[in-house]
């Protein structure tokens, strides 16, 4: 059947206040590895590789067996990324985007590694000085 004929089924188009698809997390990166976004997985994989490359090299040189080094260098980052993704998924659950990044920044500021851009103390706000009330002038009795 020709698509230009009057009997051909026409696609339903909703215009105005009709139902419209609402995509979930429009501005967020999609999860690709067990809940990690592309940027998170890239950082996790590179840090895991930097951790396991020296370990695998030392073990391979100590045993004088090159395939053992390759095995450790290949499987160590995979296991590390899998475990780190599970840990980050529990840390991120029901929290806003980039929650753990802000958490790490707060911990680094608490250790004195970076300057904090958050309010990190508890207590009442104060001006840093006390304000004494102005002295009240004594009124004279006009009848005396």
């Amino acid at each position: 059947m020709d698509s230009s004929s009057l009997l051909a089924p026409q696609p339903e188009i909703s215009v105005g206040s009709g139902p419209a698809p609402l995509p979930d997390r429009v501005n967020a990166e999609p999860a690709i590895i067990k809940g990690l976004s592309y940027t998170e997985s890239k950082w996790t994989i590179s840090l895991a590789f930097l951790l396991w490359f020296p370990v695998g090299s030392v073990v391979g040189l100590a045993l004088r067996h090159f395939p053992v080094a390759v095995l450790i260098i290949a499987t160590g980052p995979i296991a590390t990324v899998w475990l780190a993704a599970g840990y980050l998924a529990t840390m991120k659950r029901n929290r806003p985007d980039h929650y753990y990044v802000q958490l790490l920044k707060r911990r680094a500021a608490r250790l004195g590694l970076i300057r904090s851009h958050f309010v990190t103390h508890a207590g009442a706000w104060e001006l840093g000085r006390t304000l004494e009330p102005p002295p009240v002038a004594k009124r004279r009795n006009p009848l005396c």
Side-chain angles (χ1 to χ4, degrees):
M1 185 180 283
D2 186 18
S3 63
S4 63
S5 73
L6 295 174
L7 299 175
Q10 298 295 323
E12 292 183 23
I13 300 172
S14 66
V15 179
S17 63
L22 296 174
D24 189 28
R25 299 177 183 249
V26 175
N27 294 326
E29 292 183 60
I32 57 172
I33 299 176
K34 200 178 174 185
L36 292 179
S37 68
Y38 171 73
T39 307
E40 296 165 347
S41 59
K42 183 173 58 173
W43 277 98
T44 308
I45 290 168
S46 58
L47 289 175
F49 183 75
L50 288 174
L51 173 87
W52 285 103
F53 186 77
V55 172
S57 301
V58 168
V59 171
L61 288 174
L63 296 176
R64 296 180 186 210
H65 199 62
F66 181 71
V68 172
V70 172
L71 178 70
I72 292 173
I73 292 170
T75 58
I78 294 171
T80 303
V81 167
W82 187 261
L83 294 174
Y87 177 72
L88 286 174
T90 58
M91 186 186 299
K92 293 190 308 186
R93 186 165 288 131
N94 295 330
R95 292 188 174 95
D97 291 338
H98 307 294
Y99 166 80
Y100 60 93
V101 174
Q102 295 175 4
L103 182 69
L104 290 175
K105 284 183 180 180
R106 285 184 57 204
R107 287 184 183 171
R110 192 177 304 137
L111 293 173
L113 300 174
I114 63 171
R115 186 171 165 235
S116 177
H117 296 286
F118 303 107
V119 177
T120 57
H121 70 277
W125 289 89
E126 59 183 40
L127 296 173
R129 61 187 176 104
T130 59
L131 295 175
E132 299 293 330
V136 178
K138 293 184 179 180
R139 296 182 117 188
R140 290 188 182 182
N141 190 351
L143 299 176
C144 295

